Coordinates of all heavy atoms in Angstrom, one line a residue:
P178 N 10.3 13.7 3.9 CA 11.1 14.1 5.0 C 11.5 12.9 6.0 O 12.3 13.1 6.9 CB 10.2 15.1 5.8 CG 9.2 15.5 4.8 CD 9.0 14.3 3.9
L179 N 10.9 11.7 5.8 CA 11.2 10.6 6.7 C 12.3 9.7 6.2 O 12.6 8.7 6.9 CB 9.9 9.8 6.9 CG 8.6 10.6 7.3 CD1 7.5 9.6 7.7 CD2 8.9 11.6 8.5
G180 N 12.8 9.8 5.1 CA 13.7 8.9 4.4 C 15.0 8.6 5.2 O 15.5 7.5 5.0
D181 N 15.4 9.4 6.1 CA 16.6 9.2 6.8 C 16.4 8.7 8.2 O 17.3 8.7 9.0 CB 17.4 10.6 6.9 CG 16.7 11.6 7.6 OD1 15.5 11.5 7.9 OD2 17.3 12.7 7.9
T182 N 15.2 8.3 8.5 CA 14.8 7.9 9.9 C 14.1 6.5 9.9 O 13.4 6.2 8.9 CB 13.8 8.9 10.5 OG1 14.4 10.3 10.3 CG2 13.7 8.7 12.0
T183 N 14.3 5.8 11.0 CA 13.6 4.4 11.1 C 12.2 4.7 11.7 O 11.9 5.7 12.3 CB 14.4 3.5 12.0 OG1 14.4 4.1 13.3 CG2 15.8 3.3 11.5
K184 N 11.3 3.7 11.4 CA 10.0 3.8 11.9 C 9.9 4.0 13.4 O 9.1 4.8 13.9 CB 9.2 2.6 11.4 CG 7.7 2.6 11.8 CD 6.9 3.8 11.1 CE 5.5 3.8 11.4 NZ 4.6 3.7 10.3
P185 N 10.6 3.1 14.2 CA 10.5 3.3 15.7 C 10.9 4.7 16.1 O 10.2 5.3 17.0 CB 11.5 2.3 16.2 CG 11.5 1.2 15.2 CD 11.4 2.0 13.9
D186 N 11.9 5.3 15.4 CA 12.2 6.7 15.8 C 11.1 7.7 15.4 O 10.9 8.7 16.1 CB 13.5 7.1 15.1 CG 14.7 6.4 15.8 OD1 14.6 6.0 17.0 OD2 15.8 6.3 15.1
I187 N 10.4 7.4 14.3 CA 9.3 8.3 13.9 C 8.2 8.3 14.9 O 7.6 9.3 15.3 CB 8.8 7.9 12.5 CG1 9.8 8.2 11.4 CG2 7.4 8.6 12.2 CD1 10.1 9.7 11.3
R188 N 7.9 7.0 15.5 CA 6.9 6.9 16.5 C 7.3 7.7 17.8 O 6.4 8.4 18.4 CB 6.5 5.5 16.8 CG 5.8 4.7 15.6 CD 5.1 3.6 16.1 NE 4.4 2.9 15.1 CZ 3.1 3.2 14.6 NH1 2.5 4.2 15.2 NH2 2.6 2.5 13.7
R189 N 8.6 7.5 18.1 CA 9.0 8.3 19.3 C 8.9 9.8 19.1 O 8.5 10.5 20.1 CB 10.5 7.8 19.6 CG 10.6 6.5 20.4 CD 12.0 6.3 20.9 NE 12.9 6.0 19.8 CZ 13.1 4.7 19.4 NH1 12.5 3.7 20.0 NH2 14.0 4.5 18.4
E190 N 9.3 10.2 17.9 CA 9.2 11.7 17.7 C 7.8 12.2 17.7 O 7.5 13.2 18.3 CB 9.8 12.0 16.3 CG 9.8 13.4 15.9 CD 10.5 13.7 14.6 OE1 11.4 12.9 14.2 OE2 10.1 14.7 14.0
A191 N 6.9 11.4 17.2 CA 5.4 11.7 17.2 C 4.9 11.9 18.7 O 4.2 12.8 19.0 CB 4.6 10.7 16.4
A192 N 5.4 10.9 19.5 CA 4.9 11.0 20.9 C 5.5 12.2 21.6 O 4.8 12.9 22.4 CB 5.4 9.7 21.6
E193 N 6.8 12.5 21.3 CA 7.4 13.7 21.9 C 6.7 15.0 21.4 O 6.6 16.0 22.2 CB 8.8 13.7 21.5 CG 9.7 12.6 22.2 CD 11.1 12.5 21.6 OE1 11.4 13.2 20.6 OE2 11.9 11.7 22.1
R194 N 6.1 15.0 20.2 CA 5.4 16.1 19.8 C 4.0 16.2 20.3 O 3.3 17.2 20.0 CB 5.4 16.1 18.2 CG 6.8 16.3 17.6 CD 6.7 16.3 16.0 NE 8.0 16.4 15.4 CZ 8.6 17.6 15.1 NH1 8.0 18.7 15.4 NH2 9.7 17.6 14.5
G195 N 3.6 15.2 21.0 CA 2.3 15.2 21.5 C 1.2 14.8 20.5 O 0.0 15.2 20.7
F196 N 1.5 14.0 19.5 CA 0.5 13.7 18.4 C -0.2 12.5 18.9 O 0.3 11.5 19.3 CB 1.2 13.3 17.1 CG 1.9 14.5 16.4 CD1 2.9 14.2 15.5 CD2 1.5 15.8 16.7 CE1 3.5 15.3 14.8 CE2 2.1 16.9 16.0 CZ 3.1 16.6 15.1
Y197 N -1.5 12.6 18.9 CA -2.5 11.5 19.3 C -2.2 10.3 18.5 O -2.5 9.2 18.9 CB -3.9 12.1 19.1 CG -5.0 11.0 19.1 CD1 -5.4 10.5 20.4 CD2 -5.6 10.5 18.0 CE1 -6.4 9.6 20.5 CE2 -6.6 9.6 18.1 CZ -7.0 9.1 19.3 OH -8.0 8.2 19.4
V198 N -1.7 10.4 17.2 CA -1.6 9.3 16.3 C -0.2 8.5 16.5 O 0.1 7.6 15.7 CB -1.7 9.7 14.9 CG1 -3.1 10.2 14.6 CG2 -0.6 10.7 14.5
A199 N 0.5 8.8 17.5 CA 1.9 8.3 17.7 C 1.9 6.8 17.7 O 2.8 6.2 17.1 CB 2.5 8.8 18.9
N200 N 0.9 6.1 18.2 CA 0.8 4.7 18.2 C -0.3 4.1 17.4 O -0.7 2.9 17.5 CB 0.6 4.2 19.7 CG 1.8 4.5 20.5 OD1 3.0 4.3 20.1 ND2 1.6 5.1 21.7
K201 N -0.8 4.9 16.5 CA -1.9 4.4 15.6 C -1.3 3.3 14.7 O -0.2 3.5 14.1 CB -2.4 5.6 14.8 CG -3.6 5.2 13.9 CD -4.1 6.5 13.2 CE -5.3 6.2 12.3 NZ -5.8 7.5 11.7
P202 N -2.0 2.2 14.5 CA -1.6 1.1 13.6 C -1.4 1.6 12.1 O -2.2 2.5 11.7 CB -2.7 0.1 13.7 CG -3.4 0.4 15.0 CD -3.3 1.8 15.1
D203 N -0.4 1.1 11.4 CA -0.3 1.4 10.0 C -1.4 0.7 9.2 O -1.8 -0.4 9.5 CB 1.1 0.9 9.5 CG 2.2 1.6 10.1 OD1 2.0 2.8 10.6 OD2 3.3 1.0 10.2
S204 N -1.8 1.4 8.1 CA -2.7 0.7 7.2 C -1.8 -0.1 6.3 O -0.6 0.2 6.1 CB -3.5 1.8 6.3 OG -2.6 2.7 5.7
H205 N -2.3 -1.1 5.6 CA -1.5 -2.0 4.8 C -2.4 -2.7 3.8 O -3.6 -2.6 3.9 CB -0.7 -2.9 5.6 CG -1.4 -3.9 6.4 ND1 -2.0 -3.6 7.6 CD2 -1.8 -5.2 6.1 CE1 -2.6 -4.7 8.1 NE2 -2.5 -5.6 7.2
D206 N -1.7 -3.4 2.9 CA -2.5 -4.1 1.8 C -3.3 -3.1 1.0 O -2.9 -1.9 0.8 CB -3.3 -5.2 2.4 CG -2.5 -6.3 2.9 OD1 -1.4 -6.5 2.6 OD2 -3.1 -7.0 3.8
V207 N -4.4 -3.5 0.4 CA -5.2 -2.6 -0.5 C -6.1 -1.8 0.4 O -7.0 -2.3 1.0 CB -6.0 -3.5 -1.5 CG1 -6.7 -2.6 -2.4 CG2 -5.1 -4.4 -2.3
C208 N -5.9 -0.5 0.4 CA -6.6 0.4 1.3 C -8.1 0.4 1.1 O -8.8 0.6 2.1 CB -6.0 1.8 1.2 SG -6.4 2.7 -0.4
F209 N -8.6 0.2 -0.1 CA -10.0 0.2 -0.3 C -10.7 -1.1 -0.1 O -11.9 -1.3 -0.4 CB -10.4 0.8 -1.7 CG -9.6 0.2 -2.9 CD1 -10.1 -1.0 -3.5 CD2 -8.4 0.7 -3.3 CE1 -9.4 -1.6 -4.5 CE2 -7.8 0.1 -4.4 CZ -8.3 -1.0 -5.0
I210 N -9.9 -2.1 0.3 CA -10.5 -3.4 0.6 C -10.2 -3.7 2.1 O -9.2 -4.3 2.5 CB -9.9 -4.6 -0.2 CG1 -10.2 -4.3 -1.7 CG2 -10.6 -5.9 0.2 CD1 -9.6 -5.4 -2.6
A211 N -11.0 -3.0 3.0 CA -10.7 -3.0 4.4 C -10.5 -4.3 5.1 O -9.7 -4.5 6.0 CB -11.8 -2.2 5.1
D212 N -11.3 -5.3 4.6 CA -11.2 -6.7 5.3 C -10.1 -7.5 4.7 O -9.9 -8.6 5.1 CB -12.5 -7.4 5.2 CG -13.0 -7.7 3.8 OD1 -12.3 -7.3 2.8 OD2 -14.1 -8.2 3.7
G213 N -9.4 -7.1 3.6 CA -8.3 -7.8 3.1 C -8.7 -8.9 2.2 O -7.8 -9.7 1.7
D214 N -10.0 -9.1 1.9 CA -10.5 -10.2 1.1 C -10.6 -9.8 -0.4 O -11.7 -9.4 -0.8 CB -11.9 -10.7 1.7 CG -12.4 -11.9 0.9 OD1 -11.7 -12.5 0.0 OD2 -13.6 -12.2 1.1
T215 N -9.5 -9.8 -1.0 CA -9.5 -9.4 -2.5 C -10.4 -10.2 -3.3 O -11.1 -9.7 -4.2 CB -8.1 -9.4 -3.0 OG1 -7.2 -8.5 -2.2 CG2 -8.1 -8.9 -4.5
R216 N -10.4 -11.6 -3.1 CA -11.2 -12.4 -3.9 C -12.7 -12.1 -3.7 O -13.5 -12.0 -4.7 CB -11.0 -13.9 -3.6 CG -11.9 -14.9 -4.2 CD -11.6 -16.3 -4.0 NE -10.3 -16.7 -4.5 CZ -9.9 -18.0 -4.6 NH1 -10.7 -19.0 -4.1 NH2 -8.8 -18.3 -5.1
G217 N -13.1 -11.9 -2.5 CA -14.5 -11.5 -2.2 C -14.9 -10.2 -2.9 O -16.0 -10.1 -3.4
W218 N -14.0 -9.2 -2.8 CA -14.2 -7.9 -3.4 C -14.4 -8.0 -4.9 O -15.3 -7.5 -5.5 CB -13.0 -7.0 -3.0 CG -13.2 -5.6 -3.4 CD1 -13.7 -4.6 -2.7 CD2 -12.8 -5.0 -4.7 NE1 -13.6 -3.4 -3.3 CE2 -13.1 -3.6 -4.6 CE3 -12.3 -5.5 -5.9 CZ2 -12.9 -2.7 -5.6 CZ3 -12.1 -4.6 -6.9 CH2 -12.4 -3.2 -6.8

Side-chain angles (χ1 to χ4, degrees):
L179 310 188
D181 62 352
T182 313
T183 65
K184 182 64 177 239
D186 286 340
I187 291 297
R188 289 201 180 276
R189 279 191 288 271
E190 181 177 334
E193 291 169 358
R194 292 180 182 276
F196 292 161
Y197 168 78
V198 296
N200 294 313
K201 185 175 179 178
D203 293 335
S204 60
H205 61 279
D206 292 335
V207 182
C208 68
F209 51 86
I210 305 179
D212 61 3
D214 182 9
T215 300
R216 176 177 291 192
W218 187 92

